[in-house]
Amino acid sequence: MEQNNLTVFTHPLVKAKITQMRDKNTTTKEFGELVDEISGLMCYEITRDLELEEIEIETPITKTVGYKVKGNDIAIVPILRAGLGMVKGIHQLVPTAKIGHIGLYRDHDTLQPVEYLCKLPTDLPSRDVILVDPMLATGGSAIKAIEILKEKGATSIRLACLVGCPEGVTAVQAVYPEVPIYLAALDEKLNENGYIVPGLGDAGDRLYGTK
Ligand SMILES: O=P(O)(O)OC[C@H]1O[C@H](OP(=O)(O)OP(=O)(O)O)[C@H](O)[C@@H]1O
Ligand SMILES: O=c1cc[nH]c(=O)[nH]1
Ligand SMILES: [Mg+2]
């Protein structure tokens, strides 16, 4: 499904794997593997418009003209901690990408993002940034991360999350309508504690076994 710069995946493999992630009986190991797999599947769509250049190669049979992705121009930027889980699945498919890190946590009481780390490639302005975080809840963390990326000169940003909700999508689009959002699933709502319903709980805790 695609509208208003929002793409929600409808592929059966993505839907089935997201359901496995939601299940509270899924182990930490399985959860990490599913994040990996879904991120790889999403990467296929997120990178659909990458520019190609022609190259000449030689097969064992003959010379031929093929393609390579133009330049080394992607940066994968996870929002720590949970975003880290999405890096490997994308990096495997785009090995020339550089990886930046933005550390944010959501204050338990105010739900406001608190920044604790920022380390980005120096050539960020010339790269297409894929900002990754499994959860788009109030949207506060994504908005803060996009603000940081823009301050550092990023000109092309797309946001990829596994589970989002209408409140988060609306919040990000109100400030940054130009940023395409990719979701593996669009859930019903936020609850009174700022958690996505039905969601999957705290993605960071489930990835790293901290609860
Ligand atoms: O849209 P928001 O309301 O900002 O919520 C989403 C944020 O909350 C989670 O991170 P969390 O603060 O739990 O940090 P963690 O990744 O270290 O667990 C999640 O990974 C997002 O970064
Ligand atoms: O449901 C939610 C909301 C914010 N962060 C999470 O990890 N899960
Ligand atoms: Mg967390």
Side-chain angles (χ1 to χ4, degrees):
M1 184 194 90
E2 197 177 339
Q3 61 188 66
N4 294 337
N5 242 358
L6 170 68
T7 303
V8 181
F9 284 70
T10 54
H11 193 288
L13 288 178
V14 172
K15 286 183 145 182
K17 286 178 191 297
I18 280 284
T19 304
Q20 285 179 273
M21 283 184 69
R22 294 185 191 279
D23 189 333
K24 66 177 185 183
N25 295 315
T26 294
T27 64
T28 298
K29 177 174 180 285
E30 291 164 342
F31 192 90
E33 289 166 356
L34 289 162
V35 173
D36 235 16
E37 291 166 4
I38 298 169
S39 304
L41 291 168
M42 291 179 79
C43 181
Y44 180 78
E45 190 60 35
I46 295 167
T47 55
R48 183 176 285 283
D49 59 356
L50 282 188
E51 277 185 72
L52 294 175
E53 63 184 321
E54 287 190 349
I55 52 166
E56 199 173 288
I57 57 145
E58 212 171 326
T59 77
I61 311 297
T62 181
K63 281 190 176 171
T64 186
V65 173
Y67 303 96
K68 78 190 260 283
V69 174
K70 210 171 178 182
N72 296 334
D73 55 0
I74 286 194
I76 306 165
V77 179
I79 302 178
L80 309 187
R81 284 174 304 168
L84 273 178
M86 294 180 68
V87 172
K88 190 169 139 221
I90 299 175
H91 201 210
Q92 272 176 340
L93 296 172
V94 195
T96 54
K98 289 192 179 174
I99 301 168
H101 294 86
I102 294 178
L104 295 177
Y105 69 87
R106 210 168 67 144
D107 180 89
H108 190 264
D109 298 317
T110 65
L111 299 184
Q112 292 306 304
V114 181
E115 183 182 344
Y116 59 90
L117 182 104
C118 179
K119 187 75 186 167
L120 298 166
T122 48
D123 58 356
L124 190 72
S126 65
R127 290 183 175 262
D128 286 320
V129 176
I130 307 177
L131 177 64
V132 296
D133 190 328
M135 308 306 280
L136 179 63
T138 65
S141 302
I143 290 169
K144 181 71 190 167
I146 295 168
E147 182 190 312
I148 292 168
L149 288 168
K150 287 195 177 249
E151 271 171 21
K152 300 282 183 188
T155 52
S156 162
I157 302 169
R158 46 199 93 186
L159 172 65
C161 303
L162 301 187
V163 180
C165 60
E167 294 88 334
V169 171
T170 303
V172 172
Q173 289 188 334
V175 192
Y176 299 114
E178 74 282 11
V179 172
I181 301 175
Y182 297 86
L183 296 178
L186 178 60
D187 279 12
E188 189 191 328
K189 61 175 183 184
L190 276 185
N191 71 13
E192 57 286 0
N193 300 317
Y195 276 81
I196 298 174
V197 182
L200 48 74
D202 187 298
D205 286 337
R206 293 199 63 186
L207 260 174
Y208 301 112
T210 40
K211 229 175 210 171

